[in-house]
Structures are given as C-alpha cells and as structure tokens.
Amino acid sequence: MKRYRWLKARWPISMRVLAKRLRVKQFDGIQVEGFVLDRVRDDFIDARFVQKIEYDETVTDPFGVEASFHRVEYRKCEFKAMQEGPGLEIVDAPRSVQTMVSRLAEATDFALAISPLSVDVLAWAAAIQSRLNVVGDVDSLQVGSLELSQGVQAKVIVKGYGDVLAATQLVVHEKPHVIEKVQIRLFGSKGVTLLLTKSGVARFDQEPSEELLAVVRSSLPI
C-alpha cells in the first residue's frame, strides 16, 4: 500500500536554487538530520528528509537481570517539491512532518508558504476517471458532519459491492453533509483501488505507475 499526501506550497525560489540550499543541509550520517537529493529538474525536486535517532533501551530477562542496548534509528520522509500543481508531495508521510517543513522553510529564508488542502473528493475521483478514460466504481465512502437535526450530526460509512453513490443520496437526502473519503475501484488491466480523502491524500492498494500517479496528482481540484 502506498500513501501520498499533497500540501499547497508556493516556492519563492526556483527548484535549482532550492536544490543548492538543500545540499548545504545534506545528510551524510554525521548530523542528526538533513536532506538527500535523488533527482533535480527545473520544475521539481525528488528528495528525502532523514533524521537520525539514538537512544538506549533497557530490557530485563526472566531472572531480573537488566541489559542496556544502544539503538540507532533512521526516520525517512520522501517528498517531491514542485513549481506547478499543489507544490509539495509527501510519500508515506510519518505522523508529523513539522520538522521537515520547518527545514524547508529555513532553506527559503522563511518565505515558503504552505497550507493544507481541502478538496472535493467526488470531483477528484471523476477527474481521475476522465483523464485515464476508464470507468470505476465508488465502492465505499465516508460522510461527515451529516446534520440529522439541529445540533445533531453523524458520521456515516457507506460500503457495497458495486457503486454506492446512488445509495448515499438516499442517506443524506439533501441534508447538509461533507464527503470526507471516497474509495474507487478503477477497472482495467491492473484493477487499482484508490482511496481519496478531503485533505488531499491518495492511498493506493499497490505501487502506482508513474502515469497513474501523475494523473492523480494533476487531477487534484485545487
């Protein structure tokens, strides 16, 4: 399973200049954190942010004897910085990306503007199918902030073996609501299942091809 998250980022400098500044903060195994640049082009950068975590772990055997071990852990966050589109793509993001974002901001003299996305997931799913020229079924979705009555809201998950959009309309019945997540099965040779969220996250059930990933990225309604 592969998870991609997009943030709206407006880079105040070119990708080539950004690459030069990130190389100054390059990770070489000595520092506790830094960047590893994998690919640099005029319009994008593929890179990783690496953190080195060292700690001592103490374990106790069945006889009550304690032993301490020094551990070294490397936490990596793969990302793509782009001049066009959403601006920042994070692959299999850890729980918090604040440190990485802060270091990217430092590289732009704190002129970098980053904000979360809020997208129409149904429009996103429709755009993906249109650009790929394939048909897909929405086999599950999550509805949030569904107003049952004044001051009463519900979260509803709708699942089925076929397309559940029509059934969902019976549930919401013109009540105020927000579609938070949509899972779509794309018919075709690979049969990819794709989960899209309102916050600009796409989760693939298998490693996506470059073509599919590019379509999902460019279809974001931002």
Side-chain angles (χ1 to χ4, degrees):
M1 185 174 291
K2 206 74 171 175
R3 183 177 183 270
Y4 292 80
R5 177 187 177 190
W6 288 276
L7 297 171
K8 186 179 294 184
R10 294 296 171 256
W11 301 95
I13 55 180
S14 71
M15 293 292 100
R16 296 287 183 181
V17 172
L18 176 62
K20 290 180 180 179
R21 295 187 181 183
L22 294 184
R23 285 193 180 101
V24 175
K25 302 174 180 291
Q26 188 164 312
F27 182 80
D28 61 6
I30 299 175
Q31 306 97 325
V32 296
E33 63 182 33
F35 294 93
V36 177
L37 274 63
D38 297 312
R39 186 165 49 163
V40 177
R41 298 291 185 269
D42 289 338
D43 55 346
F44 72 87
I45 294 173
D46 286 334
R48 287 164 287 157
F49 180 67
V50 182
Q51 291 177 290
K52 181 179 180 181
I53 311 295
E54 296 187 65
Y55 60 95
D56 292 320
E57 181 181 359
T58 301
V59 296
T60 305
D61 69 14
F63 304 102
V65 179
E66 292 186 347
S68 295
F69 302 92
H70 186 68
R71 305 290 190 186
V72 179
E73 179 183 342
Y74 294 93
R75 297 178 184 174
K76 295 172 285 186
C77 185
E78 181 183 345
F79 68 94
K80 179 188 288 287
M82 303 167 283
Q83 287 285 13
E84 302 297 329
L88 182 61
E89 174 181 294
I90 305 174
V91 184
D92 291 332
R95 183 168 299 178
S96 174
V97 296
Q98 186 57 48
T99 301
M100 184 189 76
V101 169
S102 296
R103 299 300 174 264
L104 289 172
E106 288 176 5
T108 65
D109 297 325
F110 298 99
L112 172 64
I114 293 183
S115 58
L117 293 177
S118 180
V119 303
D120 182 336
V121 287
L122 291 179
W124 192 7
I128 291 170
Q129 294 177 82
S130 176
R131 295 191 184 200
L132 289 174
N133 194 26
V134 298
V135 178
D137 271 351
V138 174
D139 60 10
S140 72
L141 56 77
Q142 179 174 302
V143 181
S145 302
L146 176 60
E147 187 171 310
L148 302 179
S149 61
Q150 186 174 1
V152 180
Q153 295 184 336
K155 186 185 294 287
V156 178
I157 297 176
V158 185
K159 294 183 178 181
Y161 293 106
D163 199 298
V164 301
L165 286 178
T168 302
Q169 292 304 315
L170 297 176
V171 175
V172 299
H173 195 56
E174 300 183 353
K175 298 182 179 72
H177 67 281
V178 176
I179 304 295
E180 298 176 337
K181 298 179 182 179
V182 165
Q183 181 169 285
I184 180 171
R185 284 187 295 117
L186 299 175
F187 301 138
S189 59
K190 293 188 176 180
V192 176
T193 297
L194 179 60
L195 177 69
L196 308 174
T197 78
K198 184 176 179 291
S199 58
V201 172
R203 183 177 295 150
F204 300 82
D205 67 335
Q206 56 186 271
E207 185 79 30
S209 65
E210 285 292 332
E211 177 189 8
L212 176 57
L213 180 57
V215 167
V216 173
R217 182 192 300 128
S218 61
S219 299
L220 268 165
I222 57 175

